[in-house]
Amino acid sequence: MSPSVGIIGQTPTIVATVVNKMVESQRQLDYDSMAIPIPWNSSDFESTSKLRIGYFTSLPYFPTMGDSGDIVLKAKEALESQGHTLVPFEMPDAYDYIRILVKISIADHSRHVKECWKDEEVADCVKFFWISTKIPVWIYKLVRKILLLKGMPFYSKRTAVFFNPSCRSSSDLWDAIAEKKELQDQILSQWNQLKLDAVICNVISVPAPPLNAPELPPCKEIRYKTPKCSQFQNLNII
């Protein structure tokens, strides 16, 4: 997974100004020699050309709650009032995305994740994931089968996805990487077919929770705290 810069500001002008200062005169390279030199194109922000923008408000794995979906629709209306064209954008199956992400993320049996958390205080909001790194593979498989027993009170297809076994061999890992590439191609193919300049969506399914919110049951925690934009980031789209 490749990290990406995410600047948040009250207005587009604030965001543009910050990013401009970061990349002008190759300032970013002074702090990170591995960063790709990105030239600042002021015409992108000064242009008055009308844009084609895709949008979506909810996904089956990340169902929108509260008024989070309405925010996207309000943004859609505001953009349309300025003459831009807004078209629905269909994301690939989010269950596939999570399944592939889990397989790749713990392909080393969570060794890297456990190293990152070594001697660190684990926040309540990620304790479920921290505990899951210590679970043997055979328990993963057992828990998954139990969670998929239809008709039982603990049935949860959503949580079961997180108990998919990780890659067990190099061929498994290559297969997972190929599946990830297929999802990338699906998104970019639709983007090109619709001739889009951008896609908008809500960042998370609910109003942002406190940083150290009390831990919730796994099926609710995943839906509550997982950002939708993580799909684009983890698929290296942004």
Side-chain angles (χ1 to χ4, degrees):
M1 293 180 287
S2 301
S4 61
V5 176
I7 306 299
I8 299 176
Q10 188 175 11
T11 66
T13 301
I14 293 175
V15 175
T17 301
V18 172
V19 176
N20 182 16
K21 294 299 181 183
M22 286 174 56
V23 301
E24 70 177 1
S25 303
Q26 296 192 337
R27 178 179 287 111
Q28 191 175 17
L29 290 176
D30 294 338
Y31 297 92
D32 184 359
S33 60
M34 300 297 291
I36 299 175
I38 303 174
W40 179 255
N41 189 355
S42 60
S43 63
D44 287 344
F45 298 89
E46 297 168 356
S47 173
T48 58
S49 299
K50 303 308 177 184
L51 305 176
R52 282 181 59 83
I53 303 171
Y55 72 95
F56 63 92
T57 61
S58 188
L59 296 170
Y61 194 88
F62 306 101
T64 301
M65 302 170 66
D67 63 351
S68 297
D70 294 337
I71 300 301
V72 178
L73 297 179
K74 288 180 180 179
K76 170 183 174 292
E77 293 174 359
L79 290 167
E80 287 177 329
S81 69
Q82 297 175 13
H84 302 294
T85 300
L86 276 288
V87 296
F89 189 81
E90 296 292 333
M91 288 289 289
D93 190 335
Y95 280 83
D96 281 343
Y97 154 74
I98 292 294
R99 177 181 57 78
I100 296 168
L101 175 62
V102 170
K103 288 182 69 174
I104 294 176
S105 299
I106 59 176
D108 61 350
H109 308 295
S110 304
R111 182 183 61 83
H112 180 71
V113 175
K114 286 186 281 191
E115 283 287 332
C116 291
W117 269 327
K118 185 179 180 181
D119 301 324
E120 293 286 341
E121 181 179 353
V122 180
D124 289 339
C125 60
V126 293
K127 276 187 177 176
F128 168 72
F129 300 103
W130 175 68
I131 293 172
S132 70
T133 64
K134 303 176 182 296
I135 299 176
V137 174
W138 70 269
I139 294 182
Y140 258 80
K141 293 181 179 179
L142 178 61
V143 171
R144 174 175 168 75
K145 288 183 178 179
I146 293 174
L147 289 171
L148 291 176
L149 292 174
K150 292 185 178 181
M152 303 301 288
F154 42 73
Y155 171 79
S156 176
K157 180 182 176 183
R158 177 176 289 109
T159 307
V161 174
F162 270 85
F163 285 91
N164 273 296
S166 65
C167 301
R168 303 295 296 164
S169 65
S170 58
S171 60
D172 282 349
L173 180 57
W174 280 112
D175 287 344
I177 292 174
E179 288 184 280
K180 175 181 174 180
K181 177 65 167 56
E182 186 177 341
L183 289 181
Q184 290 175 320
D185 291 342
Q186 286 182 35
I187 293 175
L188 294 177
S189 175
Q190 184 182 183
W191 189 300
N192 292 331
Q193 287 178 6
L194 295 175
K195 299 180 180 180
L196 300 180
D197 298 294
V199 170
I200 60 172
C201 67
N202 43 347
V203 177
I204 57 177
S205 302
V206 297
L211 178 62
N212 219 13
E215 187 171 13
L216 299 171
C219 58
K220 293 182 179 178
E221 179 182 356
I222 295 166
R223 178 173 62 197
Y224 185 61
K225 301 187 178 85
T226 305
K228 282 192 174 70
C229 63
S230 69
Q231 292 188 97
F232 291 101
Q233 185 175 26
N234 294 330
L235 290 173
N236 299 337
I237 300 297
I238 59 175

